[in-house]
Amino acid sequence: MTARLSLYQKAEQELYKLDRQVKAKFYDFSHLFRQDPWHVSLRLKPLKGDGRIYSARIDPSYRVLLTQTGIGANGEESWLAIAVRHRRDVYEQLSVAVNRVTGEIEFVDLSVVGESALRRAGIQLTPAEPDAEPGEDAPLAPPTPSAPVEEPEPAAPLLAAYDAELLRELGVAEALVDLALVVTTSDELDQLVDGAPLLTKDVLYGLAAGLPLDDVRREITGAVELEERPNPEDFTAALARTIVTTVDDALRAVIEEGDFRAWKIFLHPTQARLVNRTYSGSARVSGGPGTGKTIVALHRVQHLAKQLPPGQNKPILLTTFTKNLTTDLRARLASLMEPELLARVEITHIDQLTARVLGENAISGRSKSRVDNQVAVKELRGLLLELDERTWEPEFLFEEWEQVVLGQAVPTRTAYLQARRAGRGRPLSRIERTAVWKLLEQFTARLDKLNMETWSQAAERAARFEIERADKIRARAEHKEQVDGRELIHRDATDSAMRYLRHRYQHIVVDEAQDLSPAHWKMLRAMVATGPDDLFIAGDTHQRIYDNQVALGAVGIHIKGRAARLTLSYRTTKEILAKAITVVSGKSVEFDDLDDGTDTLAGYRSVLHGPDPKLVGHTTWSEELAALADTLRTWRTELTTDEVGNITRDARGLMAVCVADRNKVNEVMYYLTTQADITCAELTKDGARGDGEVHVGTMHRFKGLEYQRLAIAAASDGILPRASIEQYRDSDPTRYQRELRKSRALLFVATTRARDALTISWHNKRSPFLPS
């Protein structure tokens, strides 16, 4: 009986820590397990505690802990390796379950929990293998009964105001619910959540910090909650929602340093100088796709973490614009850093950071629901209809509000009359500005009445809170300097708020910086003290696919003399690069450098060679889909078989199809699965959904990702760029050019996601951005 074996993310992290001999033995084990999981030499057996967890033998000293996730129609068993560890670290009290909120598989190890908390919860850890077998390590000593400890009367539990049912409802892992209710100190809570599932950690820390329960429900649990309650017994469905890696020869090469995924953390010597420098202030690194900006940012995080004094706090922030990029950064950083160092880094996307700041400053009963821009524009359109206002388009007014009013934190009509509108295109007279301001006031009042706010509004509010906090810190420091710190001794002892008032972070590292808004930058600037190594920024304005434009100097981030540009691509071949550059080239195409200058791809080059990209036109969409399927089947064969036709590896995650139009994603996936026998996984904001061999998504979802072979489909005129922008060609030429630039950037991002092979196809008429 054969088996399919996947690797839980934490297990992959454990493997990176083990020495090379154990890694090699693990892959020998994996090969045998996939052939026959019940082979006598593997000694597969369930633990006595949680019968869903099995232990199997790698060698006399090491064990793999597994759980079965399903059985296929062909009888093939599906297993998930959830831990790889020494036999003395295997206890009966390990547990695995499907989280009732996220639907993901969660593994809980109580051995990291403090002894005192375990004792109060009535839990005693029992080694799973108390006796050694012939040829194994020296036997484990039986647990020595502890002498009765006369403990002081325990303090009140940190979470005394909550009960077990509420914690379950919020998504706390079942195995940790009772323990969470008996911890009495912050140190005990830190031990409890060490290695705990991420949702459990966020919920418990949020409650312990006094975050209002409604905010915990909305900002933490609600952000990851499934629309329907998952089946706690359906591990097959849960596996599709869980970050796992297929255990195959490709993964072996990665773990032992070598394959496609391994290069994602490889630091070239020319990049190392940017990582290891001490900067006198904020620094920025730019460069085209594949030049290693993200790799430099990740190694910069590692470098900064190594300089930290011992502690348990998280003084380093790694942030970016979207959630799926954060997931990728976390996985890559985990394969680069030791867990002890990784624990000192906060990894979160910018909207999540915004929500946290607002949650901490929330006034009870006054929280608002946050809506995306489409919802807000719909409300603005409704307002204009009610007012019978036909002078202004809702899209224009919304962009004016976001980019000028919110972007510059304009508080009054008088300030708006004087505000800079660089890049907005259509000039506005004083009378027109007054009319626009009145409409925007009515629009914000409408949102407020509906108890709504956009994420841009949220970012602007969060920035104000952080700026106020920074002002208090500055005032306190100035006062301390005036009195030589004497008066602060009594003041700090009586004012706990001032005593713990400090900047949130010592260092902030930003990836994909070109997509952050001015409010985001103001918030980040206030979160870290101005000084050496405060902000490290990686980005490329040629890849800006949103409307957020900012000059860093205008928001207090000064990088003069500390900006570097990378020009050598380590991912994209010369042939692919040459095609990609034509997309963003042209006399009228200009890109800023995030600092009141212009950026260029001059000198951008690659050392890699590969086949020329294929540009293929078709008469109809049906013909294009059929040709796409043929291409993918050919790639699959080339990627998975050797010279004599033997299947040598799995192609999952190596191929992708990228389209500009959201509806085309569904059409591509439907055709490939029903007509071409090709399984698909859709790229979402949380990463790939499902275990399909081909990833499919919109161009926006491919930001920051890489694939060995990539097909761009439906690159037709009217889709790239969208036909709807033609309305601005004469009425608003500046906006028309801005929309064209965004579309160019989108295609540029897409073409540079490919490492080895690229095919671009269209039907009817090709995009004007493509070379003839």
Side-chain angles (χ1 to χ4, degrees), residues 286-306:
S286 63
T291 53
K293 299 180 298 299
T294 296
I295 295 170
V296 168
L298 293 173
H299 280 268
R300 181 65 178 171
V301 171
Q302 182 193 44
H303 171 76
L304 294 171
K306 286 181 176 178

Side-chain angles (χ1 to χ4, degrees), residues 621 659-669 698:
W621 178 224
V659 294
D661 181 75
R662 179 68 189 83
N663 292 330
K664 289 288 189 289
V665 172
N666 297 329
E667 293 171 16
V668 167
M669 293 180 65
T698 63

Side-chain angles (χ1 to χ4, degrees), residues 373-554:
N373 289 354
Q374 289 83 356
V375 173
V377 171
K378 182 179 178 181
E379 291 299 331
L380 180 52
R381 182 174 288 108
L383 173 66
L384 296 180
L385 286 173
E386 291 172 12
L387 297 174
D388 195 26
E389 172 58 64
R390 305 183 185 188
T391 306
W392 311 98
E393 293 181 356
E395 290 79 9
F396 174 85
L397 291 175
F398 186 77
E399 289 176 359
E400 184 77 7
W401 180 60
E402 281 219 318
Q403 295 177 30
V404 180
V405 178
L406 294 179
Q408 298 178 40
V410 176
T412 64
R413 180 180 69 87
T414 301
Y416 175 61
L417 293 176
Q418 300 170 353
R420 293 175 66 247
R421 300 182 62 257
R424 288 294 295 132
R426 175 179 175 177
L428 297 179
S429 67
R430 187 179 183 86
I431 293 175
E432 287 175 322
R433 286 202 192 199
T434 299
V436 166
W437 180 261
K438 184 177 180 180
L439 289 172
L440 293 180
E441 278 188 322
Q442 292 174 287
F443 170 57
T444 53
R446 184 186 184 98
L447 290 181
D448 191 57
K449 184 178 180 180
L450 293 170
N451 203 33
M452 292 179 179
E453 69 176 348
T454 67
W455 279 102
S456 295
Q457 280 181 293
E460 197 273 331
R461 282 204 301 129
R464 279 191 276 119
F465 283 128
E466 287 302 301
I467 291 170
E468 290 172 8
R469 174 181 173 137
D471 288 342
K472 290 179 181 178
I473 296 170
R474 191 178 303 110
R476 180 179 183 276
E478 291 172 355
H479 179 69
K480 183 176 181 179
E481 186 176 346
Q482 291 172 1
V483 300
D484 294 327
R486 292 189 302 274
E487 292 181 21
L488 296 183
I489 298 174
H490 173 71
R491 177 172 153 188
D492 283 353
T494 56
D495 189 344
S496 59
M498 291 303 297
R499 182 181 180 187
Y500 294 106
L501 189 63
R502 59 177 66 91
H503 286 95
R504 290 179 184 270
Y505 304 104
Q506 289 177 230
H507 312 286
I508 294 177
V509 177
V510 184
D511 191 34
E512 300 290 351
Q514 70 277 356
D515 288 324
L516 270 61
S517 72
H520 293 145
W521 286 114
K522 291 175 186 177
M523 178 177 69
L524 293 176
R525 172 68 282 175
M527 285 180 164
V528 61
T530 302
D533 299 330
D534 51 2
L535 283 131
F536 189 85
I537 299 161
D540 174 22
T541 55
H542 293 85
Q543 299 182 65
R544 180 187 286 131
I545 58 177
Y546 301 97
D547 266 329
N548 296 327
Q549 291 186 260
V550 63
L552 294 176

Side-chain angles (χ1 to χ4, degrees), residues 267-287:
L267 187 70
H268 192 276
T270 59
Q271 300 165 340
R273 62 184 178 84
L274 301 176
V275 169
N276 299 321
R277 277 183 59 184
T278 296
Y279 296 91
S280 59
S282 301
R284 187 207 70 202
V285 58
S286 63

Side-chain angles (χ1 to χ4, degrees), residues 23-43:
K23 292 176 185 176
K25 290 178 180 178
F26 170 77
Y27 282 98
D28 290 338
F29 159 86
S30 300
H31 179 72
L32 182 55
F33 188 92
R34 294 199 303 272
Q35 290 181 327
D36 181 7
W38 299 98
H39 193 281
V40 64
S41 67
L42 301 180
R43 302 182 191 179

